[in-house]
Amino acid sequence: MILQEFDPSKEAVINVEDVIDAVPGMPEIGVSCYSRITLERIASELNAVRIASTSTANGETDVYKAVYKGKEIALFMMDVGAPMSVTMLEDVFAMGVQKVIVFGSCGVLDRKIDDCSVIIPNRAVRDEGTSYHYATPADEIEVNENYLDLFTKMLEKMKVHYTIGKVWTTDAFYRETVEKVSRRKENGCICVDMECSANAAAAKFRGRELFQFFYAADNLDAEQWDVRSLGNDQKLTEKDRIATIALELAVQI
């Protein structure tokens, strides 16, 4: 298959440095999510200042600088889906960000996982196309090798319940069939997202650090799809807590 044709060359026809310049004063660490509402709320609460932007055919996305507990942090949103998520990661890496903490929702494959609870992936099934341009072909990729112990100890101190397990990363939201869900569960997956495996591959390829965690949203482990709190306007207090958790980790790494 064509996805077996991994090319390890760092040079491409179009390189990110051709279109993105380093940004003076860009913080070393960034915090990102997939909800514009959540990102703008964090930026407002921290009195963040816009210092750059990424641009796609759908318009510009602001990159902010904020200070949380004395530490400068870059704040930015990434678009849903592996291709755009990785493109935006590439952009902020070129701007000067060295470490990124990413949080967002995921669907659960185990109904026992509570709505809005924290899920930490330790491996990701690569059922998307983007990661194969950044890492040699394999069914899975290890994620979150760094900071997992630090993060879990932090959560325990904060008395936040969490679950660690494998995530299924897929490109096709409307092709999460009953049979595929069953196979992924048998393979040990506890949740499903659309970016994690690709984000991890891109960060490793560029020699940067990335830590990604989720909050549980819709439930696929049911006879009928259970939407739970998937919408951006659902359970905002709980989701604000997730953002605070990401900021707390940023202060410690």
Side-chain angles (χ1 to χ4, degrees):
M1 294 180 66
I2 195 169
L3 290 183
Q4 299 288 330
E5 298 178 0
F6 174 66
D7 184 346
S9 174
K10 299 289 187 180
E11 287 295 319
V13 176
I14 304 172
N15 300 285
V16 64
E17 294 81 7
D18 298 332
V19 293
I20 299 293
D21 295 325
V23 176
M26 177 63 71
E28 178 181 296
I29 187 162
V31 170
S32 182
C33 66
Y34 293 95
S35 167
R36 190 175 300 275
I37 293 173
T38 299
L39 190 281
E40 295 295 341
R41 191 162 60 246
I42 299 170
S44 176
E45 291 175 357
L46 296 181
N47 297 313
V49 178
R50 179 185 182 277
I51 58 172
S53 68
T54 61
S55 180
T56 71
N58 294 321
E60 289 193 357
T61 298
D62 292 331
V63 178
Y64 298 96
K65 179 192 286 188
V67 176
Y68 182 76
K69 293 189 175 180
K71 187 166 186 176
E72 289 188 343
I73 298 171
L75 301 173
F76 58 97
M77 191 199 81
M78 295 193 295
D79 285 344
V80 171
M84 286 311 306
S85 181
V86 165
T87 298
M88 290 178 166
L89 271 181
E90 288 267 34
D91 287 351
V92 298
F93 287 158
M95 291 176 187
V97 174
Q98 302 295 315
K99 304 175 183 178
V100 176
I101 298 167
V102 183
F103 68 95
S105 65
C106 70
V108 298
L109 305 182
D110 180 351
R111 70 188 71 186
K112 296 178 183 178
I113 298 176
D114 292 335
D115 190 18
C116 276
S117 64
V118 172
I119 298 176
I120 312 167
N122 55 8
R123 294 191 67 80
V125 173
R126 297 167 63 187
D127 193 12
E128 41 72 34
T130 306
S131 68
Y132 293 87
H133 301 280
Y134 289 87
T136 54
D139 289 342
E140 299 180 6
I141 187 170
E142 190 172 1
V143 301
N144 293 338
E145 297 101 317
N146 297 326
Y147 311 121
L148 183 58
D149 287 344
L150 173 65
F151 189 57
T152 54
K153 288 177 182 176
M154 187 190 84
L155 293 178
E156 289 162 7
K157 186 176 181 179
M158 297 172 71
K159 294 181 169 48
V160 174
H161 177 72
Y162 63 86
T163 306
I164 299 174
K166 189 187 300 184
V167 61
W168 165 29
T169 302
T170 177
D171 278 338
F173 181 80
Y174 288 124
R175 292 299 300 151
E176 295 171 7
T177 65
V178 173
E179 177 59 28
K180 286 182 181 178
V181 169
S182 178
R183 288 204 301 266
R184 297 298 175 260
K185 288 173 62 178
E186 290 175 359
N187 194 35
C189 293
I190 63 170
C191 61
V192 57
D193 90 313
M194 299 184 72
E195 302 89 16
C196 185
S197 58
N199 288 343
K204 290 177 183 180
F205 185 78
R206 296 302 183 191
R208 306 298 172 89
E209 294 184 8
L210 184 137
F211 190 92
Q212 182 164 357
F213 70 99
F214 310 115
Y215 58 89
D218 55 322
N219 173 29
L220 283 76
D221 185 25
E223 292 184 7
Q224 291 185 324
W225 179 43
D226 181 4
V227 68
R228 287 185 169 181
S229 64
L230 182 61
N232 283 333
D233 58 348
Q234 301 286 321
K235 294 193 174 181
L236 297 182
T237 300
E238 290 87 341
K239 292 173 184 177
D240 277 347
R241 181 195 65 164
I242 302 298
T244 300
I245 289 170
L247 292 168
E248 288 291 332
L249 180 60
V251 170
Q252 297 189 37
I253 65 174

PDB file of all heavy atoms in Angstrom, residues 69-70 209:
ATOM      1  N   LYS A  69       0.570  31.486  36.775  1.00  0.00           N
ATOM      2  CA  LYS A  69       1.403  31.211  37.952  1.00  0.00           C
ATOM      3  C   LYS A  69       2.872  31.540  37.683  1.00  0.00           C
ATOM      4  O   LYS A  69       3.781  30.795  38.046  1.00  0.00           O
ATOM      5  CB  LYS A  69       1.237  29.763  38.416  1.00  0.00           C
ATOM      6  CG  LYS A  69      -0.152  29.470  38.955  1.00  0.00           C
ATOM      7  CD  LYS A  69      -0.246  28.099  39.603  1.00  0.00           C
ATOM      8  CE  LYS A  69      -1.623  27.897  40.242  1.00  0.00           C
ATOM      9  NZ  LYS A  69      -1.752  26.571  40.882  1.00  0.00           N
ATOM     10  N   GLY A  70       3.082  32.655  37.013  1.00  0.00           N
ATOM     11  CA  GLY A  70       4.432  33.155  36.772  1.00  0.00           C
ATOM     12  C   GLY A  70       5.140  32.587  35.565  1.00  0.00           C
ATOM     13  O   GLY A  70       6.276  32.982  35.274  1.00  0.00           O
ATOM     14  N   GLU A 209       8.452  17.858  22.161  1.00  0.00           N
ATOM     15  CA  GLU A 209       7.725  17.083  23.157  1.00  0.00           C
ATOM     16  C   GLU A 209       6.238  17.417  23.101  1.00  0.00           C
ATOM     17  O   GLU A 209       5.859  18.586  22.954  1.00  0.00           O
ATOM     18  CB  GLU A 209       8.268  17.363  24.557  1.00  0.00           C
ATOM     19  CG  GLU A 209       9.701  16.876  24.746  1.00  0.00           C
ATOM     20  CD  GLU A 209      10.181  17.071  26.171  1.00  0.00           C
ATOM     21  OE1 GLU A 209       9.349  17.434  27.033  1.00  0.00           O
ATOM     22  OE2 GLU A 209      11.381  16.886  26.421  1.00  0.00           O
TER      23      GLU A 209
END
